[in-house]
Amino acid sequence: DTEVTQTPKHLVMGMTNKKSLKCEQHMGHRAMYWYKQKAKKPPELMFVYSYEKLSINESVPSRFSPECPNSSLLNLHLHALQPEDSALYLCASSLSISGIQETQYFGPGTRLLVL
Amino acid sequence: AQTVTQSQPEMSVQEAETVTLSCTYDTSESDYYLFWYKQPPSRQMILVIRQEAYKQQNATENRFSVNFQKAAKSFSLKISDSQLGDAAMYFCAYRSAQGGSEKLVFGKGTKLTVNP
């Protein structure tokens, strides 16, 4: 089973709101990723967690705050977003971050609209 | 830095026919991994096939196969007996085998239309 789940599927928020995106996997994967995808573009990496520690932060603005409470869960906390942050946010996981076991499996995404 | 190029923004194929999607990449590394992902309108990125650069044999997964030409840095995807459900955006991706290189480098994608 290569299932990664994400909630919510859709989110509309104002620029002053605080919201969170949630990602969950029960495949025993130890690496989890957040991507941002604009329409008709490839995904762009935001963050990587490996063994629950932040491994990569691709110079993402501080209004995006990731959190990895345990090896199965990954959250993305959103605060004071801008309309240009509207996008599809994809979560992915992999068994590890080295070797072919790094193959990433993606969730269905959260479609975010910032008004 | 590595780059991935998909030179065909859009492709179309008749149902039951075969189509080949192109992907080239640029790297100075000798060990790496290559992937094809499919993203249908439902938007979930689905792994189609993967290839380890050290393997000379081309990967196959049912109707999907790749033509991996390491010297030419080419990694094309062939879809045989195309089905309506194959319609999607296809992304080619590269990942270094070096430790600490977790980043997937994606191409810009090829939109595949399957005509009945």
Side-chain angles (χ1 to χ4, degrees), chain A residues 37 97 102-104 106, chain B residues 37 39 43-44 50 95:
Chain A
Q37 187 180 23
I97 59 171
E102 187 272 350
T103 299
Q104 294 178 30
F106 286 80
Chain B
Y37 282 93
Q39 189 175 36
R43 74 196 187 201
Q44 181 156 7
R50 61 189 176 197
R95 183 203 172 262

Side-chain angles (χ1 to χ4, degrees), chain A residues 6-61:
Chain A
Q6 289 186 244
T7 55
K9 289 185 179 180
H10 303 274
L11 180 61
V12 179
M13 60 186 290
M15 289 189 283
T16 58
N17 292 157
K18 286 185 181 181
K19 297 285 184 183
S20 297
L21 309 184
K22 180 180 173 181
C23 174
E24 195 166 2
Q25 57 85 15
H26 295 288
M27 297 179 280
H29 289 181
R30 302 312 300 266
M32 298 185 77
Y33 311 75
W34 278 117
Y35 288 85
K36 174 183 178 180
Q37 187 180 23
K38 301 286 271 184
K40 299 184 180 180
K41 299 287 186 184
E44 298 174 4
L45 183 65
M46 301 174 72
F47 303 103
V48 179
Y49 273 83
S50 176
Y51 289 86
E52 298 144 56
K53 292 185 179 178
L54 185 62
S55 172
I56 288 181
N57 177 340
E58 289 283 311
S59 302
V60 177

